[in-house]
Amino acid sequence: MLIKKKRWTIGIWEHMPFIPFFVEYPLNFYSTFSRDESIKWCYSGREIGGALQLDINGASYQLFQELGGKFVKQNIESDRIHDRKEDEANLWRVNYSGKLQKISSCAWHEWNLRMSYGKINNYEPLQQQQESGVWKSYGKVLRSTRRGGVCGLDYEYRQLRDKWHPCFSVVSGLTYQYQEVSLLFYPIQYSQPLHKFTLHATLLRNFILPKAFLDCSISGRYVIGTGTILEERNLTSGQSTQEIKLWRNSERLQQNYDYETVPRFAGNISVTYTRKAPLCWFVRLSGGYEHSGACRVNENNREIITCIGLIF
């Protein structure tokens, strides 16, 4: 069990680029501060959590399971107005992971299942300043919610050279992610539900050289999403409402939606040379490419990385 209390400060200074304050989308397109403000945001929170684990070992099988969760209560204040709350948030999350392994003298099979679900509620405090100058809170209004879940299943196969050193391995899996963000201005609720699927695979081949190892790997990932850019719902039937102009930049709203939902492909190649004597050192060269032609925010990414290091 974990019980934690923490406090931290984030400073937003003058002449910084335009940065929306509210973290929870789509509030960050509604309430922002201007370029010329210098603000310190003070976060304070209390967190309680815990986990239960079960480990079963057999002759050739091993099963491990973990069920955990946490609850976080967070307050946000700024130095613009002393003792006045800017925001209040509650978060809870439940996680489950299960891992089944089958090990023999020449092969290793592993199935890994993971599931997670959580929700965040953001509140606007209702406050009034007393004659003494102190701000008194007499309630709060729910302004935004974020709820979502993740479910993933991975499979790994290793062809073993000995008990702990594979000469060949393959990892593949599928992940489904659901997320729904809502903004409430009673009686209107604005929502954005998103569904995302990720398919990935990695191949690794190990070669033994004189006093050295050579590891070559290739991996790929395909992501596709779907959803609704904005849903508007009237929580009270038969009541007319005035249109609220929420979005200062509808183009950016579209760009962020495209970033979450457009199909994209990513690939990576890596080669690592490890020398065993007289010192253990390695050289790694890797390159990656990501393509998502329909999304201007992240259209094409390329990278080449070189690493040199010692192993102690």
Side-chain angles (χ1 to χ4, degrees), residues 28-157:
N28 55 355
F29 295 95
Y30 170 71
S31 183
T32 59
F33 49 83
S34 61
R35 293 174 182 265
D36 58 352
E37 290 187 77
S38 298
I39 306 172
K40 284 187 177 181
W41 302 100
C42 299
Y43 295 76
S44 62
R46 293 179 175 86
E47 178 179 341
I48 182 172
L52 297 174
Q53 296 181 345
L54 175 64
D55 193 0
I56 301 175
N57 292 301
S60 59
Y61 287 90
Q62 181 177 4
L63 175 63
F64 175 80
Q65 298 183 88
E66 180 179 275
L67 178 65
K70 68 176 182 179
F71 176 79
V72 180
K73 185 177 179 62
Q74 179 178 276
N75 295 321
I76 304 176
E77 299 176 355
S78 73
D79 61 354
R80 294 189 298 181
I81 304 176
H82 183 63
D83 289 335
R84 185 180 186 274
K85 287 184 180 180
E86 298 285 351
D87 187 50
E88 196 174 314
N90 294 332
L91 177 151
W92 64 267
R93 180 171 294 278
V94 178
N95 304 292
Y96 169 80
S97 63
K99 183 182 296 185
L100 176 63
Q101 296 177 343
K102 180 183 178 182
I103 304 175
S104 63
S105 59
C106 60
W108 173 309
H109 302 269
E110 180 176 297
W111 296 265
N112 189 359
L113 174 66
R114 60 192 185 280
M115 294 183 291
S116 176
Y117 183 82
K119 185 177 182 179
I120 303 175
N121 291 331
N122 285 320
Y123 299 91
E124 178 184 345
L126 301 177
Q127 301 168 96
Q128 187 174 10
Q129 192 174 25
Q130 306 297 307
E131 294 182 359
S132 60
V134 178
W135 286 86
K136 182 180 180 180
S137 178
Y138 57 92
K140 57 187 177 182
V141 177
L142 181 63
R143 282 306 185 201
S144 73
T145 65
R146 178 190 294 266
R147 61 188 181 94
V150 177
C151 181
L153 178 63
D154 298 330
Y155 169 72
E156 180 178 1
Y157 169 77

Side-chain angles (χ1 to χ4, degrees), residues 20-32 122 143-146 179-185 189-193 229-231 246-249 253 256:
F21 161 60
F22 285 99
V23 176
E24 296 305 321
Y25 172 84
L27 275 179
N28 55 355
F29 295 95
Y30 170 71
S31 183
T32 59
N122 285 320
R143 282 306 185 201
S144 73
T145 65
R146 178 190 294 266
Q179 175 180 288
E180 181 177 349
V181 184
S182 300
L183 174 67
L184 292 94
F185 282 90
Q189 174 180 295
Y190 302 89
S191 300
Q192 186 186 71
I229 187 171
L230 189 65
E231 291 182 351
L246 289 178
W247 321 118
R248 297 183 181 181
N249 191 338
L253 177 66
N256 279 266

Side-chain angles (χ1 to χ4, degrees), residues 252-272:
R252 186 179 175 188
L253 177 66
Q254 183 68 50
Q255 288 177 353
N256 279 266
Y257 176 76
D258 292 341
Y259 178 80
E260 295 289 344
T261 57
V262 298
R264 67 186 62 200
F265 170 78
N268 184 273
I269 298 176
S270 175
V271 178
T272 303

